[in-house]
Every structure is written in structure tokens, then in C-alpha cells.
Amino acid sequence: MAVPYNHHEVEQKWQKIWDEERAFRTSNDYSKPKYYALVEFPYPSGQGLHVGHPRPYTALDIVARKRRMQGYNVLYPMGWDAFGLPTENYAIKNHIHPRIVTKNNVERFKGQLHSLGYSFDWEREINTTDSEYYKWTQWIFLKLFNAGLAYKSEMPINWCTSCKVGLANEEVVNGVCERCGSEVVRKVKSQWMLKITEYADKLIQGLDTVDYIERVKVSQKNWIGKSQGAEVDFALTGKEEKLRIYTTRPDTLFGATYMVVSPEHPLIEKYKNEIKNYDELVAYREQAAKKSDFERTELVKDKTGVEIAGLTATNPVNNKEIPIWISDYVLMTYGTGAIMAVPAHDERDWDFAKKFQLPIIEVVAGSKVSVQEQVYTDVATGTLVNSEFLNGLSVADAKEKIIAFLEEKGIGSRKTNYKLRDWVFSRQRYWGEPIPIVHCEKCGFVPLDESELPLMLPEVESYEPTDNGESPLAAMTDWVNTTCPHCGGPAKRETDTMPQWAGSSWYFLRYTDPDNKEALASKEALEYWMPVDWYNGGMEHTTLHLLYSRFWHRFLYDQGVVPCPEPYQKRTSHGMILGSNGEKMSKSRGNVVNPDDIVQDYGADTLRTYEMFIGAFDLSAAWSEDGVKGCRRFLERVWKLQDILVDGDGYSADLETKMHQTIKKVSGDFECLKYNTAIAAMMALINEFYKKNAVTRGEYRTLLVLLNPVAPHITEELWQTAGYEGRIYQTTWPDYDEAKTVESTVEIGVQLNGKIRATVMASKDADKDAVIAMAKEALGDKLTGTIVKEIYVPGRLVNIVAK
RNA sequence: GCUGGCAUGGCGGAAUAGGCAGACGCAAGGGACUUAAAAUCCCUCGGGGGCGACCCCGUGCCGGUUCAAGUCCGGCUGCCAGCACCA
């Protein structure tokens, strides 16, 4: 009898041995085929590891371990995305330096990851808060600045009232701060911006060249929000000046019955003396500004607005004079901040026109405007009417014709717009990368020289953000006051720091060559390792980290720094692990599971197996302690196979097919996120061993290798106990023979008129007539009437159709 | 509202490419072992009917294609996720 399975002993023993043997060290032998597997590096929070973390980490650990056994040089690294607000807030509250907080948290996380037996190459560990790391984050920023892609701008930003910090659009969710849930208001501040909009098209096009799961591609395209249309100039009645609008439906120009400009549109200030109701407009603007984004969204159905008295416009195609309104349903930040309103064919314009009783002219036939009080939106089948030279054309043709007309007359042109906004890159915070720019009275914004990097984050007395929205660094006059690198005159350092997304926008490059002092990574390392072959991470990062890092990488490609345009060849996403009640785990709900407890009570191998078995990888799944027990039971049964181990290096005749089938199934499923069915196949296999009460050494060996990526410790121990050569992590992945995955004799279902009535056993390559004859015999006297059709699906079923 | 996705036993979930629905696990029930319990092992386990070989029904709902539909097509309903006054 085997000794009982003691997961503490087994797991600690092998973790120590792997460390000593540097088992998972990445090789620098660039002649071998490479495989770069990547998971999102965690933010080392004070709470420690969440049971959600092991799901993606285990999944790619499986892939990494399997690839190593298949002969690849594998890079599977880990590091720390350690700048960020929670650490800073914790530091403020407890009067501990954020550096110390980070160090403690990293230590805890690292210990926890280590206890789970991941094959990360810890010799390549990185930390975004190391000056040797953020030196290169700053270096990339300088590149962006020098390329004209970083600029400072006075602009209304999303301001979190609680964090006292500016947020990127991507960080505002339902009008509240993504991180703390507090109200977000608009505040005009001078901010560093990155021109991600310049890369909008490249970021869309790049998606066609990579293998991302569909919903990630769709989300990114959606977020970038490309739309094609035209800009058209409407003359202001009696003025030289034109009012420029953007529309995706230039074909409906004849249906424009009024115009709307955003409340912040400069037109209003410009003509304040001629506008008769200027005060009313200002009052409306102030009211609109007070609304949070959330309120603006909530009030979608109820349109508001004020007509500008004393100012009208002329529709350039029919010279009709039309009124101009202001309304907050038109945004200053998109297009030109002004629209032509075509109420018959736009739902928002329709609502507005109905409310203020403005005229509605149908210009695309098929409209239900008059009959059903409803706007017409079927672009595909409509025909133009009431539109002079456009009459009778389809929407698509009318668009082309009108654009040609506008361009010829010089009153409009084709135009593409994006929803994507430039990236607000400043944070008024301490715990981030200093921005390597000084401001000189004479020379303006001047970048530091590369040789001055890293610009170290100075020690400060207090990390509290100030109420006037300045970074804590602003109080450090010694640090702030410097000289201009350009003219040598007095200058001030930038006191804002970079957002958390900076360090994570290029970290995958640093792993390829983490100690390089001369470059962010050597050319050779980048050429060998990039792109990342498989990157897995959360859906919540689709429009933040994933988009930002693609932008930086594409920029670095254009600069000749990296060898490929896209950083990630393949992107997958995992589902969330929920509490046992099906709700998101949280302290307040009391449904949090600590991975340390599971490792303690059941072992890392059980946790890993369970998280892979819990359900479809991309869907969320509720935690179940009973499910954990089931997986532990499975590992116990694997352990006890020792007791029924028999001689024989090959597979026994009756299990040969099953063995080949299982190798094929497990090998394939590990490649396409179907870890649950891979494990199910291994469970089914050991059930076969127990049915026979025997497992040959050859069968056992194969099972251990297949299971090793999922449960590395127990399989390594059993491998040693059984006396196989070397370590299991050094062995090769088993092959299967396709021909042997099919049983020589198969059970064939016999259908009569599409319903199963019997089964017959037949050789897998028996001919059709023979099988059908057997089927008829099996049906016996159930088979009545005239046979009209006989169908044979080789190796599967027979269907006899009789009338 | 738009976009993407999903809907299968008591539960989590399986089911190449349209070809025997419910693999694997959990829970439950019964049995063995035990003074007892736990653990372990064996059996049953979608619903209904029949002593029985067997028969009928069944993959959210309605219809269609097909010898054959969980799978394909059309129309609904419900749920999840992302975006949301982007002209």
C-alpha cells in the first residue's frame, strides 16, 4: 500500500527542488523555437491574492509547461504593476512610505504565487516602480513627446471628487470613478495628453492581423468608434462666417430643418452682442455644465434646449433659412460640436423636433413618419425623395453624389470621425512615474535628455493630494526648481505623474531582456521573443490596458524600436470566479474565499485542478467547496493508482485506443481553453484503470505526463516514486497515433425512420451493405413497409426509412 | 436603443463537421466496511408508462429545412457582457 497523499509534504518538497534546479529558467538559446506565454501582471494590493488570480495563471501555466515538454524555449514571466492609488491611499492612512507598502505586498503576493507551483521564470521578475524599470517608461514618454504625440492642454477633464485626480474617459464608468465609485465632475485643468487618436486607424486595422477572441475585437472597434460621413458648411444668415457641421448622413441634407450646436460652442460668445437671448443661453449652458455625465445620460429621453434668437443659418443646398438651437444632446467634444438636424431620419432629432414643434421633412421614402409617428431608419432599402437632384437614388448612391456635389461647390467634404479621445496622461499624485519634462519661461516645455533618466521620484514628507488639485510633488520646491536643459535658465519640473497604465503599456517588452542597461531590451531579444504568442487577461482591460499597450507598441514599431506592429498574436479572456452564492466576491457580501486556505486544506494541485475544472474558461463560475473536494478526490485516486500498478511499458491491448484518444483529447483541449473537458477525459481514463484494477507502467507514465501541467507537484512525486527517469518536467509530451484513436469494432446505432431502435457491433471499416444487412436483422419484425432510403454514416449509425 | 454572447437533468457542465442528448464532476438515494461516524468502495440517478423484452415525451417558446436538428434557417421570450444623445 502506498503512503497516504500528503499535499503539504509533496508540494513543499518539489517547490524547493524546482527552485534549486532553476527548473523553469528561460534559455537564451535563440536557436530553439520560442513560445512566449503571458498573463497580466497583478497590482500587488494589500488584500493579497484573490481566488480569481489562479484561473488565468494556471491556464497559461498549463500551456507553458506543455510547450516546454514539446521542446520549445518558453518565456512565462511574472512581475508587478505596482504604482497606483490604493497603495498611495494606504500609505497616507498608515503613514508608511508607498515603497515599503509595495515591498510588503509584493512579498506576500510572491509567496502566494510560489505556493501554487507556477512555472514563472522568477529570474525575470520586473516591478514598474523600480527606477531601472521606469527609466524606460520615461524614455518612451520622451519618444512620444519628441514625435509630437504628447502635448499639454487646458481642457475639461473628468475629475474624481474623492481621489482628487483627473481620469481618462476609459476610467469613468456610468459617470462615476471606476476605482472608488465617487462622483466625477468636469474640471478644466492643464493636462498631459497622448495623441492616441492619431493611431485610431492603425489600431482598428491591426485587429485584422491578430487572433483575438471576437468580443475583444468588437469592444475595441466599438470604443474607437470610427464613423464615415461629411463635414458641411452652413452659411450664417447675413454673415461671412460659416457654421461647420459633421454628419454621417449627408444624403439627408434636404431634410435638415434646423441646426443644433453644443452649449459650449464658440459661436455663442462670438456673436453675444447680436444674440437677443444671450443671458438665457448662458443660463442653459451653466445648467448643462452642472450635470454630471451620469445625469446627462439618464435624461436621454427628455430633450432640452434653447433657440438662439437673432441668428439663423442657410441650408446650402436649397437656400432655406433655418433656426439654430443649443442643446446638450450635441457634444462639443465630437465632430465640430454642431449638427444639422434631420428629424425625419434621426431619432434624437425626431424627439427634439417633436418637443419643440419644429418642421419634419421626409427625404427617404418608405418612412413611417406620417403614419406611425416614427422615424425611418432603414438605410439599406430607402429611396431619396424631396431632394431635387438626389431623388430616386438609394441612400448609398445619394451619399456619394452629394459629397461630390459639396466638394465641387467647396461647401463640404468627406470626413471620418472617431469616438476615441486623446488619452489624459497626467495624475496629480505622488506614487507614479515622474514626467521627464521641465517648463522654462523662455523655451516652454523642454524634455530632459535621455542621459538624465531615470528622473527619480523624490522622497516627500506628505503624499496627500492638495485640494487645489496639485500633485504632492508641487510642494517640493528643491526638486521642482531646476534649470532648463535647453537654455540653462531657471525652470520648473512637471509635478504631475503618469497614470498607472504607463508601466503596463510596455512591460511585456522588458521581460525579454529585463536587466538591460542600454535599452528597454536588446534588438536580438525583441526579435526572438516578440510578439507574445498568447496573452490572457481580463475583459475589463479591453479598452484600457489592451488598447493603450497596442498604441505604445505600434508607436515603438513606427520608431523602429520593436520588430513587429502588434504586441500580442493571440488574446483570450477568462471569466470571473464568483462567490458560492453566484455574486461577485467581496468582503461586504462575506463570500470571499482565500486561496491560502484552499492550498492549506486541499493543496495547490487541487486548487489548480478545481479552477480548471470549474466550467467553461471564458464564462464566470460560482465557487463550490464541494467541487474542490471532488477534485481532491480525483487526485487521491490518481495517487492510489500506485497500488494497482503492473509491469508493461506499453499500453494494454484493451486500453490502447482509449490511451490514444485521451492523449489526443487532452493535447487538443489544452490549446483551446477547454481545460474542463481535458480533465474530464483524464478522470474517465483512470475510471477505466480502476474497472480493470490494473494500470501498466506505460499507461501510468502517460497519464502522469498529461496531468502534469495541471497538477505539477503530485505528478512529479509519483513520477519519482515509480522510478521513471529524470524529472517529469524534463520529459517529452506524449504522441498519439491518429489511426489508433478509433476502435476497431464500434457500436452503431440503428434508426428506423430517424428513431433509435437497436444497436449493432461492426468493424470500423465494414462496408455499407454488410452493416445495413446487420441493421435490418437487428430491427427484426419492427421493420415493416417498403424501404425508401438507407443511410449509413460510417462508424456511427444506420437510418432506414420505410413507409 | 445598438453591438456581441448565452439558454441542455436537482446543480456545474459534455456532445468533431447535422448523426445514439446528458460525458466528467457535484448533490441526492440505496448498499458494503465500521461498535459508530468520517473516509473509501459498489449500485441507482431527465420525466412518464409497462411484470417484461420495450414504449412515449424531453436541449427556453413558435414555425421551417432534412432520412436525421441541442447543433442549420426565420420569428419570439428571457438572461449576461460591452457601449450608450458620438449626429
Side-chain angles (χ1 to χ4, degrees):
Chain A
M1 285 288 279
V3 296
Y5 171 43
N6 179 328
H7 63 266
H8 294 287
E9 269 175 33
V10 170
E11 292 177 358
Q12 278 162 25
K13 168 183 167 185
W14 287 103
Q15 285 162 14
K16 193 158 167 268
I17 291 174
W18 293 332
D19 285 347
E20 285 164 4
E21 295 179 353
R22 299 166 85 184
F24 307 115
R25 192 161 50 124
T26 314
S27 160
N28 281 324
D29 175 4
Y30 292 169
S31 65
K32 279 173 84 179
K34 67 98 182 181
Y35 197 85
Y36 188 173
L38 184 67
V39 287
E40 287 171 342
F41 63 163
Y43 174 70
S45 72
Q47 279 95 53
L49 209 66
H50 182 271
V51 282
H53 285 113
R55 200 181 194 192
Y57 298 171
T58 307
L60 283 214
D61 194 45
I62 288 170
V63 174
R65 285 175 180 271
K66 175 171 175 248
R67 282 288 184 285
R68 285 191 201 96
M69 291 199 260
Q70 288 175 315
Y72 288 86
N73 183 17
V74 171
L75 175 54
Y76 187 45
M78 183 41 76
W80 315 103
D81 186 16
F83 277 128
L85 274 178
T87 299
E88 186 166 343
N89 290 338
Y90 182 88
I92 290 167
K93 202 170 160 195
N94 299 284
H95 306 288
I96 308 172
H97 195 284
R99 196 177 314 285
I100 309 295
V101 178
T102 299
K103 188 168 167 280
N104 293 342
N105 289 350
V106 163
E107 234 159 73
R108 167 124 186 255
F109 262 73
K110 195 171 173 179
Q112 289 180 302
L113 290 179
H114 194 256
S115 78
L116 285 165
Y118 291 125
S119 65
F120 295 129
D121 179 358
W122 287 108
E123 294 177 35
R124 291 182 183 236
E125 177 181 354
I126 59 172
N127 185 324
T128 56
T129 65
D130 284 346
S131 59
E132 278 307 301
Y133 180 90
Y134 70 67
K135 170 180 177 177
W136 298 103
T137 311
Q138 292 171 332
W139 182 84
I140 296 169
F141 181 85
L142 289 181
K143 283 256 171 204
L144 286 160
F145 180 86
N146 292 328
L149 291 171
Y151 62 98
K152 206 161 192 190
S153 163
E154 284 280 337
M155 64 168 304
I157 58 152
N158 305 300
W159 179 262
C160 172
T161 48
S162 164
C163 303
K164 293 174 184 170
V165 68
L167 303 173
N169 279 352
E170 289 85 343
E171 292 170 299
V172 182
V173 176
N174 290 332
V176 301
C177 173
E178 177 198 51
R179 199 169 287 284
C180 71
S182 305
E183 196 196 0
V184 172
V185 296
R186 281 161 198 291
K187 192 164 180 170
V188 174
K189 277 205 69 76
S190 176
Q191 298 282 332
W192 281 100
M193 307 288 293
L194 294 186
K195 268 192 209 166
I196 189 171
T197 50
E198 196 149 295
Y199 275 73
D201 257 327
K202 285 177 175 173
L203 291 171
I204 293 173
Q205 282 158 16
L207 290 173
D208 292 335
T209 68
V210 291
D211 173 23
Y212 289 9
I213 50 169
E214 191 58 23
R215 57 188 174 140
V216 169
K217 284 192 184 186
V218 167
S219 290
Q220 290 215 344
K221 278 185 194 159
N222 228 319
W223 187 262
I224 296 168
K226 181 175 184 170
S227 83
Q228 285 164 311
E231 285 188 344
V232 185
D233 289 334
F234 280 59
L236 292 172
T237 311
K239 307 251 180 312
E240 280 299 302
E241 171 148 2
K242 311 278 191 205
L243 177 55
R244 178 165 291 185
I245 59 99
Y246 173 72
T247 178
T248 53
R249 295 293 305 278
D251 54 297
T252 62
L253 196 47
F254 286 93
T257 54
Y258 64 100
M259 305 190 75
V260 186
V261 300
S262 151
E264 300 89 20
H265 200 282
L267 186 79
I268 297 157
E269 287 307 310
K270 186 158 183 185
Y271 294 106
K272 63 192 286 187
N273 298 326
E274 294 167 54
I275 295 171
K276 291 172 191 150
N277 59 343
Y278 177 74
D279 291 346
E280 198 187 346
L281 300 183
V282 170
Y284 180 82
R285 180 170 64 202
E286 278 169 7
Q287 202 189 339
K290 254 187 271 169
K291 286 184 195 172
S292 63
D293 277 351
F294 187 65
E295 287 169 314
R296 270 189 140 170
T297 319
E298 280 303 283
L299 296 169
V300 163
K301 290 133 225 146
D302 193 23
K303 296 275 184 292
T304 58
V306 180
E307 183 174 0
I308 303 179
L311 210 57
T312 58
T314 305
N315 187 332
V317 286
N318 56 15
N319 293 318
K320 278 190 189 149
E321 191 175 345
I322 55 174
I324 307 173
W325 288 66
I326 66 167
S327 173
D328 63 3
Y329 85 89
V330 174
L331 311 173
M332 197 58 226
T333 47
Y334 184 78
T336 61
I339 62 157
M340 64 172 195
V342 184
H345 305 290
D346 182 279
E347 200 174 329
R348 295 149 303 182
D349 297 345
W350 169 269
D351 292 342
F352 194 82
K354 274 284 165 189
K355 177 155 179 183
F356 294 105
Q357 294 174 4
L358 292 157
I360 298 168
I361 299 173
E362 183 190 44
V363 289
V364 181
S367 157
K368 295 162 191 149
V369 175
S370 48
V371 224
Q372 288 185 13
E373 301 260 306
Q374 195 179 326
V375 290
Y376 179 79
T377 48
D378 190 357
V379 176
T381 58
T383 312
L384 275 283
V385 293
N386 298 328
S387 300
E388 299 179 15
F389 59 90
L390 298 178
N391 286 341
L393 295 176
S394 69
V395 167
D397 292 344
K399 265 188 197 174
E400 288 310 309
K401 188 159 181 181
I402 189 78
I403 289 173
F405 175 82
L406 294 169
E407 286 180 342
E408 191 193 314
K409 298 269 175 189
I411 48 176
S413 58
R414 196 182 298 278
K415 171 80 180 171
T416 300
N417 267 329
Y418 301 91
K419 289 187 202 173
L420 185 68
R421 299 271 77 90
D422 276 344
W423 175 6
V424 180
F425 199 70
S426 312
R427 295 294 183 274
Q428 295 69 43
R429 282 284 173 164
Y430 173 72
W431 194 229
E433 300 89 344
I435 293 175
I437 297 281
V438 300
H439 184 244
C440 168
E441 292 283 325
K442 259 194 276 175
C443 315
F445 293 112
V446 182
L448 293 191
D449 190 78
E450 238 180 74
S451 63
E452 294 190 56
L453 300 182
L455 171 60
M456 302 288 282
L457 186 59
E459 299 290 322
V460 296
E461 296 289 311
S462 156
Y463 326 110
E464 298 270 2
T466 56
D467 285 327
N468 63 9
E470 293 257 39
S471 156
L473 294 178
M476 295 210 59
T477 46
D478 285 358
W479 184 79
V480 171
N481 292 317
T482 183
T483 51
C484 172
H486 192 243
C487 70
K492 286 186 189 301
R493 287 191 195 281
E494 173 58 58
T495 58
D496 283 357
T497 52
M498 299 187 198
Q500 193 184 357
W501 312 108
S504 59
S505 290
W506 71 281
Y507 75 113
F508 46 90
L509 299 173
R510 190 64 175 170
Y511 283 137
T512 67
D513 192 11
D515 301 316
N516 197 310
K517 300 256 191 272
E518 270 71 54
L520 52 74
S522 74
K523 276 252 181 293
E524 297 72 42
L526 290 171
E527 251 155 48
Y528 176 70
W529 287 112
M530 292 301 291
V532 173
D533 292 280
W534 186 343
Y535 189 25
N536 185 83
M539 272 313 282
E540 70 276 18
H541 291 129
T542 302
T543 53
L544 293 159
H545 160 65
L546 198 65
L547 196 64
Y548 292 156
S549 58
R550 287 185 58 227
F551 162 46
W552 276 32
H553 192 267
R554 182 61 207 236
F555 165 73
L556 292 173
Y557 173 72
D558 290 347
Q559 293 285 310
V561 176
V562 297
C564 50
E566 285 289 333
Y568 320 117
Q569 180 47 40
K570 172 175 176 172
R571 168 77 179 192
T572 54
S573 264
H574 54 272
M576 234 192 299
I577 303 269
L578 305 171
S580 52
N581 54 359
E583 291 172 22
K584 200 172 166 175
M585 280 191 193
S586 71
K587 270 188 202 153
S588 58
R589 290 191 180 94
N591 59 355
V592 175
V593 176
N594 183 340
D596 292 344
D597 295 341
I598 306 299
V599 171
Q600 177 65 28
D601 297 347
Y602 301 96
D605 284 336
T606 297
L607 177 62
R608 293 169 61 113
T609 307
Y610 173 64
E611 294 216 10
M612 293 299 98
F613 190 62
I614 192 167
F617 184 69
D618 58 332
L619 299 179
S620 57
W623 187 264
S624 153
E625 182 110 6
D626 282 328
V628 177
K629 285 181 189 158
C631 289
R632 166 71 188 207
R633 207 170 289 155
F634 164 60
L635 295 182
E636 296 266 7
R637 279 165 66 81
V638 171
W639 183 266
K640 278 186 266 180
L641 285 172
Q642 295 175 81
D643 297 335
I644 57 167
L645 196 52
V646 298
D647 284 342
D649 291 336
Y651 304 148
S652 51
D654 52 341
L655 279 185
E656 191 179 31
T657 309
K658 187 85 185 167
M659 290 304 299
H660 285 273
Q661 283 172 344
T662 306
I663 297 167
K664 182 183 179 181
K665 175 82 182 151
V666 173
S667 302
D669 283 357
F670 279 172
E671 296 299 321
C672 54
L673 304 170
K674 292 168 83 175
Y675 307 101
N676 53 340
T677 48
I679 292 167
M682 290 187 271
M683 288 172 167
L685 181 63
I686 71 163
N687 288 346
E688 294 295 324
F689 298 151
Y690 278 108
K691 247 182 246 172
K692 290 176 57 182
N693 219 30
V695 53
T696 69
R697 287 182 59 84
E699 290 158 357
Y700 185 59
R701 187 183 191 283
T702 295
L703 171 75
L704 293 181
V705 180
L706 292 179
L707 183 59
N708 173 261
V710 181
H713 311 86
I714 188 174
T715 47
E716 193 78 79
E717 177 71 16
L718 293 171
W719 182 268
Q720 186 181 57
T721 309
Y724 297 119
E725 71 288 357
R727 302 274 184 247
I728 196 167
Y729 74 78
Q730 294 164 326
T731 197
T732 51
W733 191 252
D735 287 323
Y736 64 92
D737 182 345
E738 184 67 48
K740 289 182 179 164
T741 60
V742 188
E743 297 279 359
S744 53
T745 307
V746 287
E747 194 190 47
I748 289 173
V750 178
Q751 291 185 337
L752 178 59
N753 294 328
K755 288 185 178 172
I756 289 289
R757 283 292 175 266
T759 56
V760 293
M761 298 303 291
S763 157
K764 66 178 175 188
D765 30 41
D767 70 56
K768 180 179 175 178
D769 294 342
V771 176
I772 286 176
M774 288 164 73
K776 284 179 184 165
E777 199 185 320
L779 286 172
D781 26 319
K782 284 177 203 156
L783 180 56
T784 54
T786 340
I787 293 169
V788 290
K789 208 163 188 178
E790 291 169 341
I791 289 141
Y792 175 50
V793 183
R796 290 204 168 262
L797 60 64
V798 169
N799 188 11
I800 298 189
V801 186
K803 271 187 188 163

